[in-house]
Amino acid sequence: MKLNIGCGNNILKDYINIDIRKIDGVDLILDLEKQELPYDNESVDEILAYDVLEHISHNKIWDVLNDMYRVLKKGGILHIRVPDTDNIYLKSLKYEGIERFKMLSYWLGGGQDYPENTHKSFFTKDSLKAILEYYGFKIIELWNDDSNIVCKAVKE
């Protein structure tokens, strides 16, 4: 079983597509801040969580990652992409005034074009690595993709 959590319009074949919004192709509507993943312990082979964790409250991120860890099988893979707060700040230095405000507000605060599109948690490479290792994930890959951190981790 493979999960595409926070899929939005990126509906993937061979994955269970999960989002907070009712969108064509979404298999399961789920609010990660209020609901656990409805799967048995160690029943999932892979989780994609691209552009989703930043939308989870910093108070709830622990519960969400713990739940992802719970459902992943040993050897299961977790793929994450989140905005890189350090990189965004450094990029903002080339802007001034209103342009800097717009850039930082969008990248750090989210698009805010619908209620759930607001960023509530902020990550750096070091903090994401530390959080995942705290839960027992082993980092396989961790790199920057322009303004994002991309991570591949395995449940040991």
Side-chain angles (χ1 to χ4, degrees), residues 3 5 32 35-37 39-44 47 53 56-73 78 80 131-137 155:
L3 307 179
I5 298 177
L32 292 170
Q35 300 167 281
E36 290 186 348
L37 294 164
Y39 305 106
D40 292 335
N41 295 352
E42 298 191 358
S43 62
V44 174
I47 295 175
L53 292 181
I56 306 298
S57 167
H58 62 90
N59 293 317
K60 297 285 185 178
I61 204 76
W62 311 104
D63 296 334
V64 171
L65 286 170
N66 190 49
D67 199 36
M68 289 181 183
Y69 187 86
R70 176 187 66 80
V71 300
L72 271 174
K73 294 177 181 176
L78 174 62
I80 293 174
I131 292 166
L132 292 174
E133 287 176 345
Y134 174 82
Y135 279 101
F137 287 102
K155 177 179 176 177

Side-chain angles (χ1 to χ4, degrees), residues 85-141:
T85 303
D86 283 341
N87 206 10
I88 291 166
Y89 174 74
L90 291 173
K91 285 180 173 227
S92 78
L93 295 176
K94 66 182 176 183
Y95 298 93
E96 293 182 7
I98 293 171
E99 292 306 313
R100 185 164 189 221
F101 167 78
K102 287 180 183 179
M103 184 267 192
L104 283 171
S105 294
Y106 177 79
W107 280 102
L108 295 177
Q112 300 182 13
D113 51 341
Y114 54 90
E116 298 83 16
N117 194 13
T118 301
H119 294 177
K120 301 176 186 177
S121 289
F122 304 93
F123 301 91
T124 63
K125 283 171 74 174
D126 289 341
S127 69
L128 182 61
K129 181 179 185 287
I131 292 166
L132 292 174
E133 287 176 345
Y134 174 82
Y135 279 101
F137 287 102
K138 179 180 178 187
I139 306 300
I140 303 300
E141 298 175 348

Side-chain angles (χ1 to χ4, degrees), residues 143-156:
W143 73 95
N144 286 87
D145 175 9
D146 194 27
S147 297
N148 294 304
I149 303 164
V150 182
C151 181
K152 178 180 178 182
V154 64
K155 177 179 176 177
E156 293 192 302

